[in-house]
């Protein structure tokens, strides 16, 4: 089976990109879209982010066989309540939220008796809003599908096929495991970036203009992540609290070990650690998850 009518709720970076990608790679699929912000709806219509931009969430989902909620994770419950009662029988509800256990709980509560198959495309940028969307966002990126136990496998396959058609590679895991994996690969790095950029901007002996001037030393790579949407990331930390705190505890212990190595002059520990981390960078490049060129291909090092 496949989905013929897809409703997208929330027309920012993720929702807009799904609409554009569906139009490009699944031209036979009819899309409808809705966003709570009237200005976003108007812009989405201009940009053609969905075939029809509707004036209400209920209108957008009426005929849909797949609804994808693309709102901040803290808004998933409210977005689901708005469509309850307007769904056609058999409609599958999915989402793109960055945490999965809390989203599944919120959707189950708002839409009892509905088929809910959460998903998380691990693809994004630091930009948000309708103008940030683009059709190739999901190319060669992983989309993690987290079906609750007992979900009809044919529906999971149909959702996998949808994401594959948009260019994504699909993995299936439990919501709990997803939250642990993403806590270390995404949520903790964002927390570290938000912290270090805040620390640098609060320093007294090094001026802010010096921090900006010499940022190519590494700082600017953190600033890209720390420029990510505040609403989205506030919600991610509040909704994946336990896994983030667990990983943060581990991180703090490891940081203390490196701090000690620096203090006591233990160069071997530092060297061994940095050798291990360099190998991880190589694996990421080998798997095509980043640009192998120096400095992420920015070109500063080219002759
Ligand atoms: P975004 O660009 O800010 O778009 C979200 C849109 O949803 C906004 O226009 C927002 O309007 C609207 N909205 C909020 N509540 C709503 C509701 N109840 N009904 C309808 N629309 C509503 O955010 P995004 O980056 O696309 O992120 C969307 C989701 O994708 C989040 O759950 C996030 O965790 C996940 N995600 C993001 C990334 C990333 O890199 N950005 C990657 C993977 C997954 P207002 O601005 O007026 O609230």
């Amino acid at each position: 089976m496949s989905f013929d009518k897809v409703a997208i709720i929330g027309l920012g970076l993720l929702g807009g990109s799904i609409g554009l990608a569906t139009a490009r790679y699944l031209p036979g699929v009819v899309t409808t879209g809705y966003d709570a912000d009237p200005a976003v709806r108007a812009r989405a219509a201009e940009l053609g982010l969905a075939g029809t931009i509707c004036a209400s969430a209920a209108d957008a989902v009426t005929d849909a066989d797949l609804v994808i909620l693309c709102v901040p994770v803290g808004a998933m419950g409210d977005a689901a309540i708005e469509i309850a009662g307007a769904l056609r029988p058999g409609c599958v509800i999915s989402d793109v939220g960055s945490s999965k256990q809390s989203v599944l709980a919120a959707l189950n509560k708002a839409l009892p008796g509905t088929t809910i198959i959460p998903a998380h495309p691990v693809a994004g940028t630091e930009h948000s809003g309708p103008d940030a969307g683009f059709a190739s966002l999901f190319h060669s990126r992983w989309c993690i599908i987290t079906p609750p136990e007992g979900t009809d496998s044919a529906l999971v396959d149909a959702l996998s096929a949808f994401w594959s058609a948009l260019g994504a590679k699909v993995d299936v895991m439990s919501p709990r495991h997803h939250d642990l994996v993403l806590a270390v690969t995404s949520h903790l790095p964002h927390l570290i970036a938000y912290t270090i950029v805040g620390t640098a901007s609060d320093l007294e002996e090094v001026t802010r203009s010096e921090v900006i001037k010499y940022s190519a030393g590494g700082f600017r790579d953190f600033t890209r992540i720390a420029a990510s949407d505040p609403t989205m990331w506030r919600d991610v930390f509040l909704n994946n609290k336990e896994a983030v705190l667990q990983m943060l505890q581990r991180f703090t212990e490891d940081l203390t070990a490196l701090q000690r190595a620096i203090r006591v002059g233990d160069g071997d520990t530092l060297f061994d650690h940095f050798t291990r981390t360099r190998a991880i960078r190589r694996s990421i490049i080998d798997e095509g998850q980043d640009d192998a060129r120096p400095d992420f291909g920015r070109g500063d090092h080219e002759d």
Side-chain angles (χ1 to χ4, degrees), residues 126-235:
E126 65 276 28
H127 302 296
S128 52
D131 286 280
F134 55 101
S136 60
L137 177 63
F138 309 109
H139 272 196
S140 301
R141 297 286 164 246
W142 285 98
C143 180
I144 303 173
I145 298 182
T146 61
E149 266 179 48
T151 306
D152 180 348
S153 62
L155 295 176
V156 177
D157 289 348
L159 189 61
S160 300
F162 174 80
W163 279 106
S164 299
L166 304 196
K169 304 186 279 187
V170 175
D171 228 347
V172 177
M173 63 180 73
S174 72
R176 186 176 175 278
H177 192 65
H178 166 279
D179 286 358
L180 267 184
V181 173
L182 270 292
V184 72
T185 56
S186 171
H187 307 169
L188 190 56
H190 276 79
L191 193 66
I192 293 166
Y194 281 125
T195 311
I196 197 166
V197 173
T199 304
S201 74
D202 292 341
L203 290 174
E204 278 137 27
E205 287 177 41
V206 179
T207 65
R208 194 177 287 201
S209 66
E210 283 173 317
V211 169
I212 292 167
K213 187 168 160 189
Y214 299 117
S215 64
F219 181 72
R220 71 179 178 189
D221 296 330
F222 286 102
T223 63
R224 186 190 68 75
I225 298 178
S228 299
D229 188 67
T231 304
M232 170 185 159
W233 283 96
R234 175 202 63 198
D235 283 7

Side-chain angles (χ1 to χ4, degrees), residues 8 15-25 47-50 130 133-136 166:
I8 303 162
S17 297
I18 291 173
L20 292 172
T22 306
R24 184 181 295 176
Y25 303 111
L47 295 166
L49 299 185
F134 55 101
S136 60
L166 304 196

Side-chain angles (χ1 to χ4, degrees), residues 103-115:
V103 169
L104 179 60
L107 298 187
N108 272 332
K109 190 170 170 206
L111 300 168
T114 310
T115 302

